[in-house]
């Protein structure tokens, strides 16, 4: 797994969430104190926090074996969080098959849109 996986899935989710905060789309949510606004902020925060783990991937190359295991577990956990969120839009045209895979399945995986991969 590499940083680009995290960047692609985060960009995909952000592209779905950003319009929900945009007043130009008629949204009244996102910045108020109603439950919908709070839920949107919580979801966006969860995405940003899970995506931040991508910084550990760079450290893994020089880490000791025990630390590598911890990094791998953290990366897998945070990927699963993002994967679960992204799958809410599995029917979207920009959804990629890689968003359905487990972290360990992405090592060396070919990255293509969902409709073009076998």
């Amino acid at each position: 797994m590499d940083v680009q996986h995290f960047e692609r899935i985060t960009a995909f989710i952000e592209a779905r969430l950003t319009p929900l905060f945009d007043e130009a789309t008629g949204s009244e949510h996102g910045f108020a104190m109603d439950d919908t606004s709070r839920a949107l902020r919580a979801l966006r925060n969860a995405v940003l926090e899970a995506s931040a783990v991508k910084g550990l991937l760079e450290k893994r190359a020089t880490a000791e074996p025990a630390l590598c295991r911890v990094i791998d577990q953290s990366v897998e956990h945070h990927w699963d969080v993002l994967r679960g969120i992204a799958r809410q839009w599995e029917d979207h045209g920009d959804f990629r098959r890689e968003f359905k895979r487990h972290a360990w399945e992405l090592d060396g995986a070919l990255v293509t849109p969902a409709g073009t991969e076998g």
Side-chain angles (χ1 to χ4, degrees):
M1 170 169 280
D2 60 29
V3 172
Q4 286 90 18
H5 292 293
F6 279 92
E7 290 171 349
R8 281 190 293 271
I9 199 166
T10 302
F12 173 79
I13 296 168
E14 280 291 323
R16 312 289 77 76
L17 293 179
T18 298
L20 302 176
F21 286 89
D22 188 358
E23 289 182 29
T25 65
S27 176
E28 297 177 7
H29 301 295
F31 303 103
M33 295 307 289
D34 60 287
D35 285 344
T36 300
S37 294
R38 291 173 192 205
L40 287 171
R41 287 193 306 271
L43 180 57
R44 178 173 267 169
N45 288 341
V47 169
L48 295 175
E49 289 173 19
S51 180
V53 78
K54 70 184 178 190
L56 290 176
L57 291 170
E58 299 163 358
K59 298 180 188 318
R60 191 185 186 287
T62 58
E64 295 186 18
L67 184 55
C68 283
R69 286 190 296 278
V70 172
I71 290 172
D72 289 346
Q73 290 172 352
S74 183
V75 166
E76 288 175 13
H77 168 75
H78 288 89
W79 177 258
D80 283 345
V81 169
L82 293 170
R83 187 170 61 110
I85 294 169
R87 289 191 70 174
Q88 299 304 309
W89 292 279
E90 196 169 341
D91 60 342
H92 192 279
D94 293 337
F95 185 87
R96 294 175 173 261
R97 185 162 286 190
E98 73 180 296
F99 301 159
K100 294 174 78 169
R101 294 187 171 145
H102 294 281
W104 63 85
E105 295 175 308
L106 292 172
D107 291 330
L110 178 66
V111 179
T112 58
T116 62
E117 186 176 298

